[in-house]
Amino acid sequence: MRFFLELALSGLAVGAVYGLVAMGFAVIYKATGLVNFAQGELTMIIAYIAWTIQTNLTGNVAVVTVGALGAALLLGLAIERVVMRPMLGEPVFATVMVTIALAVILRSSINFIWDAYPHGLDLGVGRSVVRAGAVGIRTGQIAVVATLLAMLAGFTLFFRYSRFGIAMRAVAADDRTALLMGVSTGRVHAAAWAASAVISGIAGIFFAVSYDLSPTMFQLGLKSFPATILGGLDAVIGSGLGGVIIGVAENLAGGYLGSGTKEVAGFVLIIVILMVRPFGLFGQRDIERV
Amino acid sequence: MRSGTFKETYPELIALTDSRLVWFWGAVLAIALAAAPYLVNAYLLSLLTAILITVTGVLGLNILTGYTGLISLGHVGFLVTGAYGYAVVSGRWGLPPLLGFAASGSVAALLSLVVGAPSLRLRGLYLAITTLAFAFIVSHLIIEAAPLTNGARGITVERPSFGGLSFASDQAFAHLCLAIAILTLFGTLNLRRSRIGRAFVAIRDNDIAARAMGVNLHAYKLLAFTTSAFVTGIAGALYGIYLSYVSVEGFPFLLSIEALAILIVGGLGSPLGAILGTIFVTLLPELTRSALAMFGSEAEALFSTGAQELKSILYGVVIILFLRFEPRGLVGIWHDIRRLWVHWPLRF
């Protein structure tokens, strides 16, 4: 029982990170109808920027977080403006290939800008262990779950009540009509990229604090993919919850079926989900009028 | 006086080419390629062999991505199963090499059925996602299935000999690759001309319209995926022989991206584009190295330490630039040059 609880709790924490990255996928998909294959790489770059600030400037948590998330915002806007905006109106194939190309560029630039060795991001917080009954959990892991819950609540309110959130949903539903109704779709796309980069940035910093920073961190994006598929590609909230489910499932599979299974559990799950419910648990069924 | 070239019958329309000159120069090129292994040095020969193997694999992917318009990120998975299919059957079990080649293609094709049957029922990007997952599952399975595949240690592969011919020397192996590449080229060209090929292109251009015209979407998508996997499996077997050692590390995920980059650079859906793209993308790292060498030894050292990363960045940049500025690829540029040549000084 204790083994199970430990696995489930640490799965919950890593699942919350997956959930955040998956929300990043979903925000972009919802606004632009495009799967951003560079999400994991964005996460990694932001974590590296946070590490650079921590080693070169100051280890203050607030400064590092604000600095890294500011960089994330700029990076998201820059990518949208320089790389994605010119591809507007091109076939889906072309835009998706551009994000794949972006992913390999960002992934490889790590070795040129930083180095190939793993680093720890030590912000002086999040590493102490809290004991709850028989099992221990790190404060950083509690914080990431809390952040995920806060983000879920925030996004629910944002999409339901704020003017901009409603505009984003309008663009997602039908960008041409939204344009005719006076919504600036370009601005919505830019905001989606920026928001997505910031969410992934948060995930990246939490991941780096709890675990380690290395050039293979982009695999976080691949691991979060099943979460988005499970929750539904167009369901921001569903993706966040999907992450938690995937994290726990993966950890349990790793604990009971062997560590190799952990690596592929999510991918096996993707194929199963796509067979049973291709639009995800919370996504909308795609119906096309001919 | 004839004012242009007009096609008057259907056979003329779907003929591979209406010009004898094209056949003539094609034959000259084939003879030149057959003679080349004896004329060039070992480095260029190895480059030529790599290009021929890549052409085979990319032509395989072209059936799926170019003709049918489906993205696969998992073709490295078929490449690696092809390589292992050959290595296990002919290397470890000692069966004839031809059986090994048959196994490499069929195992990849069978696996593609397993992946494709559930994921091709869906539209859009889902194939890219499931094949991405597939690429990771396959390398995991290969390492787990150690009794069959030797796990992470890999398998050493010998150059094959069959039909009274030995392909042990570099020259002979290049000839084998050339023969298979030409076979694949004509195979895909002819596939494109058949009912099946037209159905593939119809699915790419508008799947709903294709369905309304009686194309069974699921069956034809699955057929495209399986054919593509079969050809890629054969290319994988050749690549395994070329490396002379098959292991999971020899087939990094980057190969999938490289193949897509080649298709985009060359021009999607065109076998000529696949060939031009392969030559361009294979030579790109070499050219970059020479260019960096001009900036002194320090820049060249950067290349040797981060070769893999630099290659990735180059592929990424090339994909983005071509999609942005010349979506038709090198084939589009070639057509422009040809038109200019015929119509000059007029613009049209």
Side-chain angles (χ1 to χ4, degrees):
Chain A
M1 189 60 201
R2 192 180 145 208
F3 184 54
F4 173 81
L5 268 183
E6 267 177 2
L7 284 178
L9 270 180
S10 60
L12 199 66
V14 75
V17 175
Y18 293 164
L20 286 171
V21 180
M23 280 171 81
F25 276 116
V27 166
I28 288 184
Y29 186 83
K30 202 170 167 62
T32 66
L34 156 80
V35 180
N36 173 25
F37 278 88
Q39 203 72 36
E41 284 74 8
L42 268 177
T43 311
M44 174 166 69
I45 294 266
I46 306 304
Y48 266 91
I49 291 174
W51 178 69
T52 313
I53 298 174
Q54 183 247 317
T55 42
N56 292 336
L57 289 174
T58 160
N60 186 315
V61 188
V63 175
V64 171
T65 315
V66 170
L69 295 186
L73 190 79
L74 291 179
L75 189 64
L77 287 176
I79 289 175
E80 198 276 335
R81 193 70 195 85
V82 178
V83 187
M84 300 316 296
R85 185 78 63 91
M87 299 303 293
L88 214 60
E90 296 284 325
V92 180
F93 174 83
T95 44
V96 166
M97 277 314 301
V98 167
T99 66
I100 293 172
L102 196 65
V104 280
I105 294 175
L106 291 179
R107 190 184 303 172
S108 313
S109 61
I110 290 287
N111 272 17
F112 286 110
I113 304 175
W114 292 281
D115 53 33
Y117 306 106
H119 301 283
L121 178 65
D122 186 12
L123 298 179
V125 290
R127 300 225 163 172
S128 51
V129 176
V130 179
R131 298 211 74 83
V135 291
I137 184 166
R138 285 194 200 145
T139 47
Q141 293 178 319
I142 299 174
V144 65
V145 177
T147 312
L148 176 71
L149 291 176
M151 295 293 268
L152 287 177
F155 266 94
T156 312
L157 296 175
F158 174 73
F159 278 126
R160 181 154 299 174
Y161 297 111
S162 85
R163 203 178 149 75
F164 204 79
I166 295 169
M168 276 177 104
R169 280 195 297 156
V171 172
D174 186 341
D175 54 350
R176 220 170 284 179
T177 312
L179 198 62
L180 289 172
M181 303 287 284
V183 177
S184 163
T185 48
R187 206 183 295 169
V188 166
H189 286 188
W193 273 90
S196 171
V198 170
I199 301 172
S200 321
I202 296 174
I205 295 172
F206 271 120
F207 187 84
V209 167
S210 305
Y211 307 97
D212 252 342
L213 204 61
S214 72
T216 54
M217 202 178 133
F218 68 86
Q219 287 173 353
L220 204 54
L222 301 178
K223 292 276 196 84
S224 313
F225 228 112
T228 329
I229 303 289
L230 178 65
L233 261 175
D234 56 346
V236 177
I237 314 297
S239 297
L241 295 176
V244 176
I245 299 174
I246 296 281
V248 174
E250 196 187 83
N251 244 20
L252 290 179
Y256 288 107
L257 303 174
S259 63
T261 329
K262 185 176 173 179
E263 301 300 315
V264 291
F267 295 124
V268 175
L269 215 58
I270 285 190
I271 293 180
V272 175
I273 298 160
L274 285 179
M275 276 159 73
V276 184
R277 231 184 121 84
F279 38 89
L281 290 180
F282 305 94
Q284 264 177 355
R285 191 189 280 270
D286 197 19
I287 300 170
E288 186 157 346
R289 189 183 281 256
V290 179
Chain B
M1 192 185 90
R2 286 175 73 93
S3 57
T5 317
F6 297 106
K7 311 272 169 100
E8 288 163 351
T9 59
Y10 279 115
E12 274 179 39
L13 199 63
I14 61 171
L16 279 181
T17 172
D18 54 2
S19 148
R20 288 183 180 206
L21 216 58
V22 172
W23 283 112
F24 172 72
W25 285 114
V28 169
L29 179 65
I31 291 167
L33 280 174
Y38 301 107
L39 304 176
V40 298
N41 62 27
Y43 171 69
L44 284 178
L45 180 60
S46 146
L47 210 57
L48 175 71
T49 314
I51 288 177
L52 288 170
I53 296 171
T54 317
V55 162
T56 311
V58 169
L59 283 172
L61 182 63
N62 188 41
I63 296 173
L64 183 74
T65 306
Y67 291 166
T68 324
L70 300 163
I71 304 181
S72 164
L73 292 173
H75 262 56
V76 66
F78 298 126
L79 215 56
V80 76
T81 37
Y84 267 97
Y86 181 84
V88 169
V89 168
S90 107
R92 293 199 66 192
W93 295 348
L95 294 172
L98 277 180
L99 266 182
F101 279 114
S104 66
S106 341
V107 173
L110 271 178
L111 265 181
S112 78
L113 280 180
V114 177
V115 188
S119 45
L120 282 168
R121 290 189 310 148
L122 308 162
R123 296 187 59 212
L125 290 172
Y126 288 106
L127 188 69
I129 298 165
T130 42
T131 47
L132 177 72
F134 163 74
F136 286 90
I137 295 174
V138 157
S139 49
H140 171 69
L141 283 180
I142 285 174
I143 291 178
E144 290 287 297
L148 188 69
T149 60
N150 246 352
R153 273 175 298 151
I155 304 173
T156 317
V157 189
E158 305 267 322
R159 295 270 172 88
S161 68
F162 52 83
L165 297 166
S166 163
F167 296 99
S169 71
D170 286 349
Q171 282 86 357
F173 183 61
H175 281 148
L176 177 67
C177 295
L178 178 65
I180 292 182
I182 291 178
L183 216 62
T184 317
L185 176 64
F186 278 98
T188 53
L189 278 172
N190 280 327
L191 182 71
R192 173 66 186 82
R193 302 195 298 152
S194 67
R195 180 199 144 79
I196 298 170
R198 287 195 296 275
F200 288 168
V201 175
I203 292 173
R204 177 190 70 189
D205 291 343
N206 190 331
D207 54 346
I208 296 172
R211 191 166 181 187
M213 307 226 341
V215 175
N216 182 341
L217 288 189
H218 189 211
Y220 274 99
K221 281 183 184 176
L222 203 55
L223 184 62
F225 195 46
T226 312
T227 319
S228 167
F230 183 87
V231 176
T232 312
I234 301 278
L238 286 178
Y239 191 56
I241 300 169
Y242 174 71
L243 294 176
S244 77
Y245 173 71
V246 175
S247 72
V248 175
E249 280 82 35
F251 295 81
F253 181 67
L254 184 65
L255 288 179
S256 278
I257 307 288
E258 183 184 344
L260 284 168
I262 287 172
L263 280 182
I264 288 167
V265 166
L268 274 171
S270 149
L272 174 65
I275 295 169
L276 292 178
T278 307
I279 296 170
F280 184 86
V281 169
T282 314
L283 295 184
L284 190 65
E286 310 294 325
L287 293 178
T288 316
R289 175 160 45 193
S290 325
L292 279 180
M294 285 195 289
F295 289 104
S297 55
E298 214 169 290
E300 204 182 4
L302 181 77
F303 189 93
S304 48
T305 51
Q308 196 75 0
E309 282 72 27
L310 202 66
K311 250 190 199 174
S312 314
I313 292 182
L314 279 176
Y315 293 158
V317 170
V318 158
I319 290 179
I320 292 181
L321 289 182
F322 265 89
L323 281 174
R324 172 90 175 76
F325 296 106
E326 185 55 276
R328 295 173 308 157
L330 291 173
V331 159
I333 297 175
W334 169 241
H335 282 304
D336 284 350
I337 294 173
R338 227 167 43 172
R339 196 175 305 125
L340 196 75
W341 185 259
V342 173
H343 294 285
W344 193 84
L346 301 172
R347 282 195 68 197
F348 297 104

